[in-house]
Amino acid sequence: MDEATLLDEAMLAWFPPLGTVELSTRSTFTETDLRNISDLLHRSGKPSWSRIPRIYTTLRLIDELDVIDSFLSCGISDLSLPFSQRTLPGQLKDQSSRVRFLEVQSKVLTKALDLERERGKHRHFSNPDDLPFKKIAELGKGGYGFVDKVLSTVTYREYARKLIPRGRTFRQDRDLLRDFENELQVLKKLSHQHIVRLIGSYTDPRYVGVLMDPVADCNLKVLLNAHPLSSDTRSLVRTFYGCLASAVLYLHENKLRHKDIKPEVGNILKNPESGY
C-alpha cells in the first residue's frame, strides 16, 4: 500500500468519502482536529502542507487539493483566512469551487487565528488542548508564574509566553484579571525597538497567557555571570546602557514607570537577532 493510500485511509476520521456527508452538516473543526491533521500530513511526507492544515482541510472538503501547491507558492498561510471573493487566489478558477471554498472555510476558522493578528484580540479557551502552541523551552519563572518559549502551530513563529496561574478563589481571580487587564492596556500602547512587543493574550481555566516578541536568548544576569567574558561580549554589554536608557526614556515620556528593572528579575533581555 503506497503512502498516498495510507494517508487517505488515516484521513477518513475527518474526511468521509466525497458524497457521503453533506458539507453543510459537517461540524466545525477544532484546534485539536487541525493539529492532528497537520501532524499526519507531516508524517506522510507533506511538511509544506502540514503548515496550512486549514487551507488543506478546506480544499479537501471541496475536492480541490490539486491547487494547494500553487496556494503555497503565493505565500498563503492559514493566517490569510478568511478569504473573500476578491482576495481568494486566482488559482482556484472555477466559480462554483470558489463559492464552495468561501462557504466551507467557516468550518476551520478557530479562535486561534485571532491571537497573532496585529494587536491580537484577547481570547478564552475553555479547552487548553485547543491552544495553538507547542512548548519549546522554559525561559524563566518567578512569583508571578513563568515564561516559556513556544512555537505557533498557525504561523510557525516563535514567541515568549508569560503564564500566570489563575486565582483559586473568585476574589483572587478577579484581582488577578484586573491587574492583567491593566498590564495589557499598557503593553498595547507601547512601540519601541527595545521593549518587547505584545502579540496577543488569552485565558484558559488554569492560566492567563501573554504572547510577546522577540524571544530573548538570555537575560543580563546570565550574560554577566558567564566566565570568562570575551572582549566581544564586554563591548556588547557596554551598548546595553544606551538601549536601556532609551527604553526608560520612552516609558517616562509616555507617563509610565517600570519600577522593577534589575538583572535578577530577568526583565533585561538580550535579543539574539539584533544582539541587544
Side-chain angles (χ1 to χ4, degrees), residues 54-269:
R54 291 168 178 79
I55 300 289
Y56 170 87
T57 297
T58 305
L59 290 174
R60 174 147 186 169
L61 286 172
I62 66 172
D63 196 25
E64 291 286 355
L65 269 182
D66 56 323
V67 301
I68 191 170
D69 288 321
S70 59
F71 270 45
L72 283 166
S73 67
C74 293
I76 289 171
S77 73
D78 278 356
L79 206 58
S80 305
L81 292 163
F83 291 105
S84 65
Q85 187 67 253
R86 179 180 298 178
T87 60
L88 187 61
Q91 284 82 353
L92 200 58
K93 300 183 184 301
D94 182 72
Q95 184 58 30
S96 64
S97 295
R98 295 177 68 84
V99 170
R100 283 185 295 145
F101 186 102
L102 296 176
E103 292 174 349
V104 172
Q105 67 179 340
S106 63
K107 305 292 184 183
V108 298
L109 299 181
T110 65
K111 291 182 289 186
L113 289 173
D114 290 330
L115 281 174
E116 296 174 77
R117 300 193 193 278
E118 187 175 358
R119 296 300 182 192
K121 297 179 181 178
H122 179 84
R123 287 298 191 183
H124 176 73
F125 292 85
S126 55
N127 182 359
D129 290 338
D130 285 341
L131 287 166
F133 305 109
K134 292 181 180 179
K135 181 177 177 178
I136 299 174
E138 187 170 302
L139 299 178
K141 56 185 176 181
Y144 61 85
F146 57 93
V147 178
D148 56 15
K149 179 180 180 180
V150 295
L151 176 71
S152 164
T153 56
V154 176
T155 61
Y156 289 84
R157 296 172 184 161
E158 293 181 351
Y159 298 111
R161 178 178 63 176
K162 181 179 180 180
L163 287 175
I164 308 166
R166 298 188 63 165
R168 295 183 178 181
T169 66
F170 169 78
R171 184 172 182 176
Q172 288 176 336
D173 204 45
R174 180 196 62 191
D175 293 345
L176 182 146
L177 291 175
R178 182 187 59 212
D179 292 342
F180 169 69
E181 179 63 26
N182 290 337
E183 180 179 357
L184 281 186
Q185 293 307 314
V186 170
L187 284 173
K188 286 179 180 179
K189 297 176 182 177
L190 302 180
S191 178
H192 189 276
Q193 63 176 328
H194 298 308
I195 297 177
V196 293
R197 182 170 64 100
L198 173 68
I199 300 299
S201 63
Y202 68 88
T203 47
D204 66 28
R206 295 181 59 197
Y207 294 103
V208 171
V210 182
L211 297 174
M212 296 170 287
D213 177 69
V215 182
D217 59 354
C218 70
N219 61 46
L220 183 58
K221 180 180 179 181
V222 171
L223 189 65
L224 294 178
N225 284 342
H227 294 290
L229 281 177
S230 67
S231 59
D232 287 343
T233 300
R234 287 196 296 271
S235 297
L236 179 64
V237 169
R238 291 190 187 102
T239 69
F240 289 0
Y241 296 103
C243 301
L244 185 58
S246 173
V248 172
L249 175 62
Y250 172 81
L251 292 176
H252 290 178
E253 288 176 342
N254 284 274
K255 311 300 181 184
L256 295 169
R257 289 186 298 165
H258 193 289
K259 300 191 294 185
D260 196 27
I261 298 176
K262 50 190 176 184
E264 290 81 3
V265 176
N267 52 27
I268 303 177
L269 307 171

